[in-house]
Amino acid sequence: MIFTSASADDHFHDHCGVFGVFGHPEAANLAYLGLYALQHRGQESAGIVSSDGTELHLHRAMGEVEEIFQQPGVLAKLPGSLAIGHTRYSTAGDKALLNAQPIMIDCNKGKVALGHNGNLTNAAEWRRKLEHRGSIFQTNSDTEVIVHLLARSAARNLSGALGDALNQVEGAYSLLVLTQDELYAVRDPRGFRPLVLGKLATPAGFAAWLVASETCAFDLLNAHYVREVAPGEMLRISKSGIESIRFAPEKQHQQCIFEHVYFSRPDSIIFGRSVNESRETLGRLLAREHPVEADIVVPVPDSGVPAAVGYALESKIPFRMGLIRNHYIGRTFIEPSQAIRNFGVKLKLNPVRGLIEGQRVILVDDSIVRGTTSRKIVRMVREAGAKEVHVRISCPPTISPCYYGVDTPTREELIASFNTPEEICKFLGADSLGYVSLPALKQAVADTEGRFCTSCYTGVYPTDLVQLEVREPASNGKLEAPSVTIENERVAAERPVAVERES
Ligand code: SF4
């Protein structure tokens, strides 16, 4: 049996990270390091395309960034001062190298490479139309729709053709496009996924431009964070400098709030705000909304740590690393025999009995997806001798899938979709359960103008052409709960009714 780390942690997974370099003699090396810092955004495949001013050079493979680019001679085959890199997460049935990025094409607009973070919500519809008109698709990635639309554009220059193509697609894209002598960085008008601009001094004393999904990639290179690429902005970076092109009409921003809850690294600045600050604030607000008498606050590492710190600071209950994470579990783990099955969460986490035994524990995590992993963790903490286990979650119940570049299970698999917090608490075997409310989540990211997407918590989507499932209470979604004494807490999740619809 192959046990994937994806299934082990029962978290949402971001699809991709992107990194671009313009004007540095070691562009591919920088792209490699940038992707290394963005590895958390995708572990299934990675690729880099470089340009030496005449030719584009591509290397992509399945695996993690280090194992792909540490192979002898690989980076040496990627010469030039321009490069884009991409690291990708894909779902189990969709691991083909064919879908790895960047995608490279030679079309009527010249040689072009693309790396895309996000998901197009009308890609299937466009694919059908384009195939009807004779386009032949090489992959099943939605990014290829952009490639075909780009090739079909009548615009004379690439920025015009890109604008044409992108104005026909809907959904989320933070996109890097490389030509022989230009780098484009584009963010969709709603700005679902992050994209940031940075600067790095070259050995010759000039400034090289960098673009990345997250600022943590700049920190690794000692680069300077300049600003975000704005939603609806296309940056054209060439020898003449940087040109900012507004390629699409202004739309209400829908920045992914879950980047602040879980995806992005806490040392990144995302959407102009420190992720760590948001997470600690979430923990503080969680403590205010769901206080409980207890002895220690224990995070589910690593992603639950900042919120647990915030909870502990606010509640004045001691913070303890009562669960230790094994960082060395690979992408896949082959269970040795039938006799020792279902290591499950034990592969990743181990309790510190000396800290937990006899204690009333507040267990802080960032989210519950299916609930199966959380249930195992609660059981593990009880088995380590906890007197009580109170689960606190630093986001609202996740009731709906994401269509904007995040791999989520179906609605039926999301435990909060068909179960109340009381039912979930029983399923987990916890003494109490508390989720932070949606207003508190918005407060934690300082969202006073409705700039964030919260669709996975509301089931209300900001784009057309999404095949929304009907949300109905379904008996088959109910859980069989073990019999435990609980003290349930009601979630104060906001349920907005307004849907922003734009053509
Ligand atoms: Fe982010 Fe959720 Fe919106 Fe997807 S649906 S973009 S995960 S907030």
Side-chain angles (χ1 to χ4, degrees):
M1 174 183 181
I2 293 180
F3 175 88
T4 68
S5 55
S7 63
D9 61 15
D10 191 27
H11 273 114
F12 281 8
H13 291 268
D14 211 325
H15 272 305
C16 310
V18 292
F19 191 85
V21 185
F22 182 93
H24 196 287
E26 290 191 75
N29 279 321
L30 294 184
Y32 160 59
L33 291 168
L35 292 182
Y36 193 77
L38 298 172
Q39 182 75 84
H40 60 289
R41 297 185 74 87
Q43 299 89 40
E44 299 290 336
S45 65
I48 293 175
V49 173
S50 71
S51 170
D52 58 13
T54 312
E55 284 296 326
L56 298 190
H57 306 268
L58 165 69
H59 184 81
R60 57 185 188 184
M62 302 303 291
E64 293 184 3
V65 173
E66 186 181 6
E67 63 187 288
I68 295 170
F69 293 102
Q70 283 286 2
Q71 297 290 329
V74 167
L75 285 167
K77 288 181 195 152
L78 298 169
S81 60
L82 285 72
I84 60 171
H86 188 274
T87 181
R88 181 172 192 266
Y89 172 80
S90 60
T91 49
D94 183 28
K95 287 186 179 176
L97 179 58
L98 217 53
N99 285 326
Q101 293 197 20
I103 293 177
M104 196 164 86
I105 54 157
D106 194 349
C107 67
N108 54 359
K109 308 293 181 302
K111 289 173 182 156
V112 180
L114 288 91
H116 173 204
N117 176 206
N119 202 47
L120 306 180
T121 51
N122 63 348
E125 187 195 5
W126 262 116
R127 192 182 172 108
R128 266 195 306 277
K129 278 192 215 166
L130 287 163
E131 282 177 338
H132 191 66
R133 292 176 200 167
S135 295
I136 297 168
F137 280 74
Q138 308 287 326
T139 72
N140 52 24
S141 135
D142 56 349
T143 312
E144 203 183 340
V145 167
I146 300 175
V147 171
H148 284 278
L149 290 172
L150 183 72
R152 283 173 172 265
S153 166
R156 284 211 300 269
N157 57 28
L158 187 65
S159 56
L162 258 178
D164 271 359
L166 296 175
N167 272 301
Q168 296 177 80
V169 297
E170 265 287 6
Y173 50 87
S174 279
L175 188 70
L176 295 185
V177 180
L178 186 76
T179 70
Q180 285 137 316
D181 52 6
E182 291 176 334
L183 170 64
Y184 291 82
V186 198
R187 208 162 149 219
D188 70 75
R190 294 184 178 85
F192 284 104
R193 310 252 69 87
L195 196 63
V196 286
L197 178 69
K199 228 178 187 180
L200 178 68
T202 64
F206 300 109
W209 292 104
L210 307 178
V211 190
S213 295
E214 293 185 34
T215 59
C216 63
F218 298 157
D219 296 339
L220 180 64
L221 302 171
N222 272 334
H224 171 63
Y225 165 52
V226 176
R227 67 172 175 91
E228 277 194 281
V229 178
E233 183 180 35
M234 178 189 300
L235 291 181
R236 177 175 168 269
I237 309 176
S238 67
K239 277 188 181 147
S240 324
I242 292 198
E243 188 185 349
S244 169
I245 302 164
R246 186 147 284 281
F247 68 96
E250 187 85 21
K251 290 186 178 172
Q252 174 68 42
H253 295 176
Q254 296 288 340
Q255 301 173 132
C256 173
I257 209 160
F258 207 57
E259 292 276 357
H260 274 268
V261 172
Y262 170 69
F263 292 135
S264 295
R265 273 178 39 170
D267 49 339
S268 283
I269 295 168
I270 294 291
F271 310 136
R273 181 175 172 80
S274 152
V275 173
N276 188 63
E277 194 180 332
S278 295
R279 289 187 191 163
E280 269 200 33
T281 308
L282 276 170
R284 285 183 177 275
L285 296 172
L286 189 57
R288 278 183 222 159
E289 289 188 334
H290 297 284
V292 62
E293 277 194 23
D295 303 307
I296 54 173
V297 177
V298 172
V300 177
D302 292 326
S303 51
V305 171
V309 168
Y311 196 105
L313 288 170
E314 187 68 22
S315 63
K316 305 205 171 12
I317 297 171
F319 174 93
R320 291 283 181 269
M321 285 301 290
L323 289 170
I324 301 301
R325 183 173 169 180
N326 178 0
H327 287 98
Y328 302 100
I329 179 171
R331 283 175 300 116
T332 58
F333 179 85
I334 300 170
E335 291 197 3
S337 78
Q338 195 74 3
I340 332 170
R341 281 181 66 89
N342 291 327
F343 281 114
V345 79
K346 282 187 180 168
L347 276 172
K348 274 207 160 172
L349 298 174
N350 196 33
V352 183
R353 182 172 279 274
L355 291 177
I356 286 174
E357 200 160 26
Q359 303 294 307
R360 295 169 299 170
V361 175
I362 300 172
L363 200 58
V364 180
D365 204 353
D366 53 74
S367 53
I368 300 178
V369 180
R370 295 177 183 83
T372 46
T373 300
S374 306
R375 181 182 180 171
K376 286 175 189 162
I377 296 171
V378 170
R379 191 182 300 152
M380 176 187 278
V381 172
R382 281 203 193 282
E383 284 170 2
K387 263 203 309 207
E388 294 172 16
V389 183
H390 302 274
V391 176
R392 295 293 179 270
I393 304 297
S394 62
C395 74
T398 308
I399 62 164
S400 222
C402 176
Y403 296 90
Y404 307 119
V406 172
D407 183 62
T408 49
T410 62
R411 185 181 299 261
E412 287 70 30
E413 291 174 281
L414 292 170
I415 190 171
S417 184
F418 296 111
N419 295 277
T420 64
E422 289 81 357
E423 289 167 325
I424 297 169
C425 184
K426 282 184 192 166
F427 177 73
L428 300 184
D431 293 285
S432 72
L433 168 65
Y435 289 91
V436 90
S437 70
L438 190 54
L441 174 55
K442 289 179 177 177
Q443 184 185 337
V445 298
D447 186 23
T448 51
E449 297 157 19
R451 293 178 297 118
F452 280 82
C453 173
T454 55
S455 298
C456 47
Y457 307 120
T458 63
V460 178
Y461 293 87
T463 58
D464 285 333
L465 305 172
V466 173
Q467 298 299 311
L468 295 176
E469 305 132 285
V470 179
R471 187 173 181 237
E472 291 171 346
S475 55
N476 62 4
K478 293 280 178 191
L479 299 161
E480 283 184 23
S483 172
V484 289
T485 306
I486 58 144
E487 175 199 314
N488 288 314
E489 297 184 25
R490 170 61 68 182
V491 171
E494 184 186 298
R495 295 277 181 269
V497 288
V499 188
E500 183 208 338
R501 294 214 176 271
E502 297 167 23
S503 57

